[in-house]
Amino acid sequence: MKLFIDSANVVDIKKAYKVGVLSGVTTNPSLVAKEGVKFEDRIEEILKLVPKVESVSAEVTPDAVTAEEMIAQAEELIKINNYDKNITIKLPMTLDGLEACRYLADKGIKTNVTLIFTVNQALLAARAGATYVSPFLGRLDDISEDGVQLVVKIAELFRIHNLDAQIIAASVRHPDHVTRVAMAGAHIATVPFSVIEQISKHPLTDQGLEKFAADWKKAVKG
Ligand code: E4P
């Protein structure tokens, strides 16, 4: 399973990229709004920061409601990247979003259909030519449903029917989500930097390091 960072914060994106574990970045209107910067400027900045990743998802803004409006925004976003391959247009899971997805997919532009909460929505997005589909685990858990089970089912569906879309497990809140979606067959988990930090740690790693340091100090002192 690949790891994307779910963030529009340049400091966090830089930190994760430097570690060398990143395959992509996802953003959404809420994440960009938190940064208080112009959307297109931030996307351009991110694209420059992470030149070697496979995908940077830039979401059409909530004022694009019709397929035509989404396509018009997508065409502007693609220009930011000078038509390079790592920009991915993120589209909402609506009929208009699917229509825009089919249009862009036929033009060879990568797409990520977001806000997926059912297997049927994932099936529709895959059939509309989506490169990525994004089921939101945490938000399902928030309403007492099992978000990981949705990923398990989508992975099975894609396997049975040989669908090419990659599953991005999104709305990932903690380390256990990461392990479980990896074992469920998600192709990608998109996670905040805090989760990348958390999954790098274990108390026994810290204790082990402390013991190595103490033993080393004793040996050096003689
Ligand atoms: C994914 O692409 C979304 O940006 C994201 O994972 C949403 O997560 P949230 O439910 O924590 O807002």
Side-chain angles (χ1 to χ4, degrees), residues 53-127:
V53 300
E54 72 171 53
S55 167
V56 172
S57 279
E59 186 160 345
V60 296
T61 61
D63 40 305
V65 176
T66 66
E68 291 71 26
E69 287 162 346
M70 292 178 202
I71 291 165
Q73 278 198 11
E75 278 164 352
E76 290 309 306
L77 287 167
I78 293 155
K79 282 187 207 154
I80 299 178
N81 198 33
N82 284 330
Y83 301 88
D84 273 358
K85 288 282 175 212
N86 59 349
I87 195 161
T88 297
I89 304 301
K90 202 170 176 191
L91 298 156
M93 178 56 228
T94 60
L95 290 179
D96 280 277
L98 294 176
E99 189 182 328
C101 181
R102 168 51 63 203
Y103 176 90
L104 295 168
D106 286 350
K107 294 216 167 310
I109 294 159
K110 288 199 282 200
T111 53
N112 173 2
V113 177
T114 190
L115 290 168
I116 289 195
F117 293 95
T118 68
V119 175
N120 287 337
Q121 288 180 321
L123 173 64
L124 280 174
R127 286 295 178 212

Side-chain angles (χ1 to χ4, degrees), residues 8-222:
N9 181 279
V10 287
V11 175
D12 283 353
I13 294 171
K14 256 192 223 164
K15 281 195 280 188
Y17 188 63
K18 213 168 109 195
V19 177
V21 296
L22 267 200
S23 299
V25 181
T26 53
T27 63
N28 67 38
S30 306
L31 290 171
V32 180
K34 245 186 3 200
E35 298 295 310
V37 290
K38 201 172 151 225
F39 172 59
E40 294 80 1
D41 293 349
R42 181 47 55 95
I43 295 297
E44 186 170 9
E45 225 177 320
I46 295 173
L47 285 163
K48 283 187 189 144
L49 277 182
V50 292
K52 291 188 190 146
V53 300
E54 72 171 53
S55 167
V56 172
S57 279
E59 186 160 345
V60 296
T61 61
D63 40 305
V65 176
T66 66
E68 291 71 26
E69 287 162 346
M70 292 178 202
I71 291 165
Q73 278 198 11
E75 278 164 352
E76 290 309 306
L77 287 167
I78 293 155
K79 282 187 207 154
I80 299 178
N81 198 33
N82 284 330
Y83 301 88
D84 273 358
K85 288 282 175 212
N86 59 349
I87 195 161
T88 297
I89 304 301
K90 202 170 176 191
L91 298 156
M93 178 56 228
T94 60
L95 290 179
D96 280 277
L98 294 176
E99 189 182 328
C101 181
R102 168 51 63 203
Y103 176 90
L104 295 168
D106 286 350
K107 294 216 167 310
I109 294 159
K110 288 199 282 200
T111 53
N112 173 2
V113 177
T114 190
L115 290 168
I116 289 195
F117 293 95
T118 68
V119 175
N120 287 337
Q121 288 180 321
L123 173 64
L124 280 174
R127 286 295 178 212
T131 318
Y132 305 103
V133 301
S134 291
F136 276 40
L137 321 187
R139 294 192 196 185
L140 278 173
D141 288 0
D142 290 346
I143 58 160
S144 302
E145 289 193 27
D146 187 345
V148 173
Q149 270 314 305
L150 175 62
V151 174
V152 171
K153 287 183 193 158
I154 296 172
E156 199 179 340
L157 174 91
F158 284 10
R159 209 170 29 243
I160 295 169
H161 296 287
N162 287 322
L163 294 167
D164 293 333
Q166 294 190 55
I167 303 166
I168 302 182
S171 188
V172 167
R173 302 271 165 81
H174 49 70
D176 190 46
H177 270 158
V178 178
T179 309
R180 289 174 65 209
V181 297
M183 301 315 292
H187 303 88
I188 298 151
T190 190
V191 300
F193 185 70
S194 57
V195 171
I196 297 179
E197 266 184 323
Q198 279 178 298
I199 61 176
S200 75
K201 290 187 193 301
H202 191 279
L204 290 178
T205 307
D206 295 340
Q207 275 177 35
L209 285 170
E210 277 165 28
K211 182 159 179 5
F212 286 156
D215 291 346
W216 189 252
K217 214 163 145 190
K218 268 189 257 162
V220 170
K221 278 191 183 156

